[in-house]
Amino acid sequence: MTASASPDPVGHAKPADTRADLEDLRHDVEDTASVAAERGRGFAAAARQHALAYVDDRKGEAARSVSDLAKSLRDSGKTFDDRPNVRAFFDSAAEGLDDLAGSIERRSLDDFYREAESFARRSPVTVAVATFAAGFLLSRFVKASGPAEADRSYDGYRA
């Protein structure tokens, strides 16, 4: 047995052996982290592809819903045959919805994301106000759909 490989009298490994073991452990941890990171990237790519496929499937449904809304709006406008200005408004709105339905069909999710990001960069105040309004409306909806508060008055007395 060589002096560097023999244990000390107490049974512990010499510092050279400990350093080698720690170096081996460090390499093992680095290799494991590398494999985990690669698998994580693969999982993220697969999840993204799955999400894009799901959105593409739902995109057709959304376009049909918008198109149906345009048809309903156009049908509602027919009741205003005696008022051409009002009917023109309904027809114009229905035409805009038809254009939106076509746009939904033609564009990808990335296109929508880039357009939304561009709009947010051009009009941050509009986005902030719209976000605030949506949050306010959502909170009102949640509050209204919650359980009704119990009447806190008992026999005409207030607590």
Side-chain angles (χ1 to χ4, degrees), residues 47-94:
R48 179 172 161 50
Q49 287 298 93
H50 184 61
L52 289 173
Y54 179 80
V55 168
D56 280 342
D57 290 345
R58 299 299 174 250
K59 192 171 68 168
E61 293 175 13
R64 281 189 295 280
S65 294
V66 171
S67 184
D68 290 346
L69 182 61
K71 183 182 179 312
S72 297
L73 193 59
R74 202 172 270 116
D75 291 345
S76 295
K78 289 180 183 177
T79 61
F80 294 105
D81 281 338
D82 57 334
R83 295 177 155 168
N85 291 340
V86 175
R87 177 147 188 211
F89 173 77
F90 276 88
D91 288 342
S92 175

Short mmCIF file of all heavy atoms in Angstrom, two decimals, residues 47-94:
data_model
loop_
_atom_site.label_atom_id
_atom_site.label_comp_id
_atom_site.label_asym_id
_atom_site.label_seq_id
_atom_site.Cartn_x
_atom_site.Cartn_y
_atom_site.Cartn_z
N ALA A 47 -44.42 20.72 -24.46
CA ALA A 47 -45.59 21.41 -23.90
C ALA A 47 -46.00 22.58 -24.78
O ALA A 47 -47.20 22.80 -25.01
CB ALA A 47 -45.29 21.89 -22.48
N ARG A 48 -45.03 23.31 -25.29
CA ARG A 48 -45.33 24.43 -26.19
C ARG A 48 -46.00 23.94 -27.46
O ARG A 48 -46.99 24.52 -27.91
CB ARG A 48 -44.04 25.18 -26.51
CG ARG A 48 -44.21 26.35 -27.45
CD ARG A 48 -42.91 27.15 -27.54
NE ARG A 48 -42.66 28.02 -28.61
CZ ARG A 48 -43.44 28.97 -29.10
NH1 ARG A 48 -44.60 29.17 -28.59
NH2 ARG A 48 -43.07 29.73 -30.10
N GLN A 49 -45.49 22.87 -28.04
CA GLN A 49 -46.09 22.32 -29.26
C GLN A 49 -47.52 21.85 -28.99
O GLN A 49 -48.41 22.07 -29.81
CB GLN A 49 -45.25 21.16 -29.80
CG GLN A 49 -43.97 21.60 -30.45
CD GLN A 49 -44.23 22.49 -31.65
OE1 GLN A 49 -44.25 23.71 -31.54
NE2 GLN A 49 -44.44 21.89 -32.78
N HIS A 50 -47.73 21.21 -27.85
CA HIS A 50 -49.06 20.75 -27.48
C HIS A 50 -50.02 21.93 -27.31
O HIS A 50 -51.16 21.89 -27.78
CB HIS A 50 -48.99 19.92 -26.20
CG HIS A 50 -50.29 19.32 -25.79
ND1 HIS A 50 -50.98 18.42 -26.56
CD2 HIS A 50 -51.03 19.52 -24.68
CE1 HIS A 50 -52.10 18.10 -25.95
NE2 HIS A 50 -52.16 18.75 -24.79
N ALA A 51 -49.55 22.98 -26.66
CA ALA A 51 -50.39 24.16 -26.45
C ALA A 51 -50.72 24.83 -27.78
O ALA A 51 -51.86 25.26 -28.00
CB ALA A 51 -49.69 25.15 -25.53
N LEU A 52 -49.74 24.93 -28.67
CA LEU A 52 -50.00 25.54 -29.98
C LEU A 52 -51.00 24.72 -30.78
O LEU A 52 -51.89 25.28 -31.45
CB LEU A 52 -48.70 25.71 -30.76
CG LEU A 52 -47.76 26.78 -30.25
CD1 LEU A 52 -46.43 26.74 -31.01
CD2 LEU A 52 -48.40 28.16 -30.37
N ALA A 53 -50.89 23.41 -30.72
CA ALA A 53 -51.85 22.54 -31.43
C ALA A 53 -53.25 22.72 -30.85
O ALA A 53 -54.24 22.80 -31.59
CB ALA A 53 -51.42 21.09 -31.33
N TYR A 54 -53.34 22.82 -29.54
CA TYR A 54 -54.63 23.02 -28.88
C TYR A 54 -55.25 24.36 -29.31
O TYR A 54 -56.43 24.44 -29.63
CB TYR A 54 -54.46 22.97 -27.36
CG TYR A 54 -55.74 23.19 -26.60
CD1 TYR A 54 -56.65 22.15 -26.44
CD2 TYR A 54 -56.04 24.43 -26.04
CE1 TYR A 54 -57.81 22.34 -25.74
CE2 TYR A 54 -57.21 24.63 -25.35
CZ TYR A 54 -58.10 23.59 -25.20
OH TYR A 54 -59.27 23.79 -24.52
N VAL A 55 -54.43 25.40 -29.32
CA VAL A 55 -54.92 26.72 -29.71
C VAL A 55 -55.36 26.72 -31.17
O VAL A 55 -56.39 27.31 -31.52
CB VAL A 55 -53.85 27.81 -29.45
CG1 VAL A 55 -54.21 29.12 -30.11
CG2 VAL A 55 -53.68 28.00 -27.95
N ASP A 56 -54.60 26.06 -32.03
CA ASP A 56 -55.00 25.99 -33.43
C ASP A 56 -56.34 25.28 -33.60
O ASP A 56 -57.15 25.68 -34.43
CB ASP A 56 -53.92 25.29 -34.27
CG ASP A 56 -52.77 26.21 -34.62
OD1 ASP A 56 -52.96 27.45 -34.53
OD2 ASP A 56 -51.69 25.70 -34.97
N ASP A 57 -56.56 24.23 -32.81
CA ASP A 57 -57.85 23.54 -32.87
C ASP A 57 -58.98 24.46 -32.41
O ASP A 57 -60.06 24.49 -33.02
CB ASP A 57 -57.84 22.29 -31.98
CG ASP A 57 -56.96 21.19 -32.53
OD1 ASP A 57 -56.58 21.25 -33.72
OD2 ASP A 57 -56.63 20.27 -31.75
N ARG A 58 -58.74 25.20 -31.37
CA ARG A 58 -59.78 26.09 -30.82
C ARG A 58 -59.95 27.36 -31.65
O ARG A 58 -60.97 28.02 -31.57
CB ARG A 58 -59.46 26.46 -29.38
CG ARG A 58 -59.40 25.28 -28.45
CD ARG A 58 -60.74 24.55 -28.41
NE ARG A 58 -60.66 23.34 -27.64
CZ ARG A 58 -60.72 22.12 -28.15
NH1 ARG A 58 -60.85 21.94 -29.44
NH2 ARG A 58 -60.66 21.07 -27.37
N LYS A 59 -58.95 27.68 -32.44
CA LYS A 59 -59.01 28.88 -33.27
C LYS A 59 -60.17 28.80 -34.26
O LYS A 59 -60.90 29.78 -34.45
CB LYS A 59 -57.67 29.02 -34.00
CG LYS A 59 -57.46 30.33 -34.67
CD LYS A 59 -56.04 30.45 -35.17
CE LYS A 59 -55.77 29.50 -36.29
NZ LYS A 59 -54.53 29.74 -37.00
N GLY A 60 -60.39 27.64 -34.85
CA GLY A 60 -61.51 27.46 -35.78
C GLY A 60 -62.84 27.63 -35.09
O GLY A 60 -63.76 28.25 -35.63
N GLU A 61 -62.93 27.10 -33.87
CA GLU A 61 -64.17 27.26 -33.10
C GLU A 61 -64.43 28.72 -32.77
O GLU A 61 -65.57 29.20 -32.84
CB GLU A 61 -64.11 26.43 -31.82
CG GLU A 61 -64.10 24.95 -32.05
CD GLU A 61 -63.91 24.15 -30.77
OE1 GLU A 61 -64.02 24.73 -29.68
OE2 GLU A 61 -63.63 22.95 -30.88
N ALA A 62 -63.39 29.44 -32.40
CA ALA A 62 -63.54 30.86 -32.07
C ALA A 62 -63.97 31.65 -33.30
O ALA A 62 -64.84 32.52 -33.22
CB ALA A 62 -62.23 31.42 -31.51
N ALA A 63 -63.39 31.33 -34.45
CA ALA A 63 -63.76 32.03 -35.69
C ALA A 63 -65.22 31.76 -36.03
O ALA A 63 -65.95 32.68 -36.45
CB ALA A 63 -62.84 31.60 -36.83
N ARG A 64 -65.67 30.53 -35.85
CA ARG A 64 -67.08 30.21 -36.13
C ARG A 64 -68.00 30.95 -35.16
O ARG A 64 -69.06 31.44 -35.56
CB ARG A 64 -67.31 28.71 -36.03
CG ARG A 64 -66.86 27.97 -37.28
CD ARG A 64 -67.30 26.51 -37.26
NE ARG A 64 -66.69 25.74 -36.20
CZ ARG A 64 -65.46 25.23 -36.24
NH1 ARG A 64 -64.72 25.42 -37.29
NH2 ARG A 64 -64.98 24.54 -35.22
N SER A 65 -67.60 31.06 -33.90
CA SER A 65 -68.43 31.78 -32.92
C SER A 65 -68.55 33.26 -33.30
O SER A 65 -69.64 33.83 -33.22
CB SER A 65 -67.83 31.66 -31.52
OG SER A 65 -67.87 30.34 -31.08
N VAL A 66 -67.44 33.87 -33.71
CA VAL A 66 -67.48 35.28 -34.10
C VAL A 66 -68.32 35.44 -35.36
O VAL A 66 -69.11 36.39 -35.48
CB VAL A 66 -66.04 35.82 -34.30
CG1 VAL A 66 -66.05 37.20 -34.93
CG2 VAL A 66 -65.31 35.85 -32.97
N SER A 67 -68.20 34.51 -36.28
CA SER A 67 -69.00 34.56 -37.50
C SER A 67 -70.49 34.41 -37.19
O SER A 67 -71.33 35.10 -37.78
CB SER A 67 -68.53 33.47 -38.46
OG SER A 67 -69.21 33.55 -39.68
N ASP A 68 -70.82 33.52 -36.27
CA ASP A 68 -72.23 33.36 -35.85
C ASP A 68 -72.75 34.63 -35.19
O ASP A 68 -73.92 35.01 -35.40
CB ASP A 68 -72.37 32.18 -34.89
CG ASP A 68 -72.16 30.83 -35.57
OD1 ASP A 68 -72.18 30.78 -36.82
OD2 ASP A 68 -71.97 29.83 -34.84
N LEU A 69 -71.91 35.28 -34.40
CA LEU A 69 -72.31 36.54 -33.78
C LEU A 69 -72.57 37.60 -34.85
O LEU A 69 -73.54 38.36 -34.75
CB LEU A 69 -71.23 37.00 -32.81
CG LEU A 69 -71.50 38.29 -32.05
CD1 LEU A 69 -72.76 38.16 -31.18
CD2 LEU A 69 -70.31 38.66 -31.18
N ALA A 70 -71.74 37.63 -35.88
CA ALA A 70 -71.94 38.58 -36.98
C ALA A 70 -73.27 38.31 -37.68
O ALA A 70 -74.01 39.24 -38.03
CB ALA A 70 -70.79 38.50 -37.97
N LYS A 71 -73.59 37.03 -37.90
CA LYS A 71 -74.86 36.67 -38.55
C LYS A 71 -76.04 37.12 -37.69
O LYS A 71 -77.02 37.67 -38.20
CB LYS A 71 -74.90 35.17 -38.79
CG LYS A 71 -76.15 34.70 -39.53
CD LYS A 71 -76.14 33.20 -39.69
CE LYS A 71 -77.35 32.67 -40.38
NZ LYS A 71 -78.61 33.13 -39.94
N SER A 72 -75.94 36.89 -36.38
CA SER A 72 -77.02 37.31 -35.49
C SER A 72 -77.18 38.82 -35.49
O SER A 72 -78.31 39.33 -35.51
CB SER A 72 -76.73 36.85 -34.06
OG SER A 72 -76.69 35.47 -33.97
N LEU A 73 -76.08 39.52 -35.52
CA LEU A 73 -76.12 40.99 -35.55
C LEU A 73 -76.75 41.47 -36.86
O LEU A 73 -77.57 42.39 -36.87
CB LEU A 73 -74.71 41.55 -35.39
CG LEU A 73 -74.58 43.03 -35.10
CD1 LEU A 73 -75.30 43.39 -33.81
CD2 LEU A 73 -73.11 43.40 -34.99
N ARG A 74 -76.38 40.83 -37.95
CA ARG A 74 -76.94 41.19 -39.25
C ARG A 74 -78.45 40.92 -39.27
O ARG A 74 -79.23 41.72 -39.78
CB ARG A 74 -76.23 40.39 -40.34
CG ARG A 74 -76.32 41.00 -41.69
CD ARG A 74 -75.44 40.30 -42.72
NE ARG A 74 -74.12 40.90 -42.75
CZ ARG A 74 -72.99 40.30 -42.41
NH1 ARG A 74 -72.99 39.06 -42.01
NH2 ARG A 74 -71.84 40.92 -42.49
N ASP A 75 -78.87 39.78 -38.69
CA ASP A 75 -80.30 39.46 -38.62
C ASP A 75 -81.04 40.46 -37.75
O ASP A 75 -82.18 40.85 -38.06
CB ASP A 75 -80.50 38.04 -38.07
CG ASP A 75 -80.04 36.97 -39.04
OD1 ASP A 75 -79.84 37.28 -40.24
OD2 ASP A 75 -79.86 35.81 -38.59
N SER A 76 -80.42 40.89 -36.67
CA SER A 76 -81.05 41.89 -35.80
C SER A 76 -81.20 43.22 -36.53
O SER A 76 -82.18 43.94 -36.32
CB SER A 76 -80.22 42.11 -34.54
OG SER A 76 -80.19 40.95 -33.77
N GLY A 77 -80.25 43.54 -37.37
CA GLY A 77 -80.31 44.79 -38.12
C GLY A 77 -81.43 44.81 -39.14
O GLY A 77 -81.90 45.89 -39.53
N LYS A 78 -81.90 43.65 -39.56
CA LYS A 78 -82.99 43.59 -40.55
C LYS A 78 -84.30 44.15 -40.00
O LYS A 78 -85.17 44.54 -40.76
CB LYS A 78 -83.19 42.15 -41.02
CG LYS A 78 -82.07 41.66 -41.91
CD LYS A 78 -82.30 40.23 -42.35
CE LYS A 78 -81.13 39.75 -43.18
NZ LYS A 78 -81.28 38.35 -43.56
N THR A 79 -84.42 44.18 -38.68
CA THR A 79 -85.64 44.73 -38.08
C THR A 79 -85.70 46.25 -38.24
O THR A 79 -86.74 46.84 -38.01
CB THR A 79 -85.73 44.38 -36.58
OG1 THR A 79 -84.61 44.93 -35.90
CG2 THR A 79 -85.76 42.88 -36.39
N PHE A 80 -84.58 46.86 -38.65
CA PHE A 80 -84.53 48.30 -38.83
C PHE A 80 -84.55 48.68 -40.31
O PHE A 80 -83.88 49.63 -40.72
CB PHE A 80 -83.26 48.87 -38.16
CG PHE A 80 -83.26 48.73 -36.67
CD1 PHE A 80 -82.46 47.77 -36.06
CD2 PHE A 80 -84.05 49.54 -35.88
CE1 PHE A 80 -82.44 47.63 -34.69
CE2 PHE A 80 -84.04 49.40 -34.51
CZ PHE A 80 -83.24 48.44 -33.90
N ASP A 81 -85.33 47.97 -41.11
CA ASP A 81 -85.42 48.29 -42.54
C ASP A 81 -85.94 49.70 -42.77
O ASP A 81 -85.57 50.36 -43.74
CB ASP A 81 -86.31 47.28 -43.27
CG ASP A 81 -85.59 45.98 -43.55
OD1 ASP A 81 -84.34 46.00 -43.58
OD2 ASP A 81 -86.26 44.95 -43.72
N ASP A 82 -86.80 50.17 -41.87
CA ASP A 82 -87.37 51.51 -42.02
C ASP A 82 -86.38 52.60 -41.59
O ASP A 82 -86.63 53.78 -41.83
CB ASP A 82 -88.67 51.62 -41.22
CG ASP A 82 -88.47 51.30 -39.74
OD1 ASP A 82 -87.53 50.56 -39.41
OD2 ASP A 82 -89.28 51.79 -38.92
N ARG A 83 -85.28 52.23 -40.97
CA ARG A 83 -84.24 53.18 -40.54
C ARG A 83 -82.90 52.78 -41.16
O ARG A 83 -82.13 52.02 -40.58
CB ARG A 83 -84.11 53.19 -39.03
CG ARG A 83 -85.34 53.69 -38.34
CD ARG A 83 -85.10 53.57 -36.87
NE ARG A 83 -85.92 54.50 -36.14
CZ ARG A 83 -86.06 54.45 -34.85
NH1 ARG A 83 -85.42 53.53 -34.16
NH2 ARG A 83 -86.82 55.32 -34.23
N PRO A 84 -82.58 53.30 -42.30
CA PRO A 84 -81.38 52.86 -43.02
C PRO A 84 -80.08 53.18 -42.27
O PRO A 84 -79.11 52.42 -42.39
CB PRO A 84 -81.44 53.59 -44.35
CG PRO A 84 -82.56 54.54 -44.27
CD PRO A 84 -83.37 54.25 -43.07
N ASN A 85 -80.04 54.27 -41.51
CA ASN A 85 -78.81 54.60 -40.78
C ASN A 85 -78.52 53.58 -39.69
O ASN A 85 -77.37 53.19 -39.50
CB ASN A 85 -78.91 56.00 -40.16
CG ASN A 85 -78.91 57.08 -41.21
OD1 ASN A 85 -78.47 56.86 -42.33
ND2 ASN A 85 -79.39 58.26 -40.84
N VAL A 86 -79.55 53.17 -38.97
CA VAL A 86 -79.38 52.19 -37.91
C VAL A 86 -79.01 50.83 -38.51
O VAL A 86 -78.10 50.14 -38.03
CB VAL A 86 -80.64 52.08 -37.04
CG1 VAL A 86 -80.51 50.98 -36.00
CG2 VAL A 86 -80.94 53.41 -36.36
N ARG A 87 -79.67 50.47 -39.60
CA ARG A 87 -79.36 49.20 -40.25
C ARG A 87 -77.93 49.21 -40.78
O ARG A 87 -77.22 48.19 -40.68
CB ARG A 87 -80.33 48.92 -41.38
CG ARG A 87 -79.96 47.64 -42.10
CD ARG A 87 -81.09 46.89 -42.62
NE ARG A 87 -80.60 45.60 -43.11
CZ ARG A 87 -81.14 44.98 -44.10
NH1 ARG A 87 -82.19 45.49 -44.70
NH2 ARG A 87 -80.67 43.83 -44.49
N ALA A 88 -77.49 50.33 -41.32
CA ALA A 88 -76.11 50.42 -41.81
C ALA A 88 -75.12 50.22 -40.67
O ALA A 88 -74.06 49.61 -40.86
CB ALA A 88 -75.89 51.77 -42.49
N PHE A 89 -75.45 50.73 -39.48
CA PHE A 89 -74.59 50.53 -38.32
C PHE A 89 -74.48 49.04 -37.99
O PHE A 89 -73.38 48.53 -37.76
CB PHE A 89 -75.15 51.30 -37.11
CG PHE A 89 -74.43 51.02 -35.84
CD1 PHE A 89 -73.18 51.57 -35.58
CD2 PHE A 89 -74.99 50.17 -34.89
CE1 PHE A 89 -72.50 51.29 -34.41
CE2 PHE A 89 -74.32 49.90 -33.71
CZ PHE A 89 -73.08 50.46 -33.48
N PHE A 90 -75.61 48.33 -37.95
CA PHE A 90 -75.59 46.90 -37.67
C PHE A 90 -74.81 46.13 -38.74
O PHE A 90 -74.03 45.25 -38.44
CB PHE A 90 -77.03 46.36 -37.59
CG PHE A 90 -77.67 46.54 -36.25
CD1 PHE A 90 -78.35 47.71 -35.94
CD2 PHE A 90 -77.60 45.55 -35.29
CE1 PHE A 90 -78.94 47.88 -34.70
CE2 PHE A 90 -78.19 45.71 -34.05
CZ PHE A 90 -78.87 46.88 -33.75
N ASP A 91 -75.03 46.50 -40.01
CA ASP A 91 -74.32 45.82 -41.09
C ASP A 91 -72.82 46.08 -41.02
O ASP A 91 -72.01 45.18 -41.27
CB ASP A 91 -74.87 46.27 -42.45
CG ASP A 91 -76.25 45.71 -42.73
OD1 ASP A 91 -76.65 44.73 -42.05
OD2 ASP A 91 -76.95 46.26 -43.61
N SER A 92 -72.45 47.29 -40.67
CA SER A 92 -71.04 47.63 -40.55
C SER A 92 -70.38 46.85 -39.41
O SER A 92 -69.26 46.33 -39.55
CB SER A 92 -70.88 49.13 -40.32
OG SER A 92 -69.54 49.46 -40.10
N ALA A 93 -71.07 46.76 -38.29
CA ALA A 93 -70.55 45.99 -37.15
C ALA A 93 -70.43 44.51 -37.51
O ALA A 93 -69.44 43.86 -37.18
CB ALA A 93 -71.44 46.18 -35.93
N ALA A 94 -71.42 43.98 -38.21
CA ALA A 94 -71.38 42.58 -38.63
C ALA A 94 -70.23 42.34 -39.61
O ALA A 94 -69.54 41.31 -39.53
CB ALA A 94 -72.71 42.18 -39.26
#
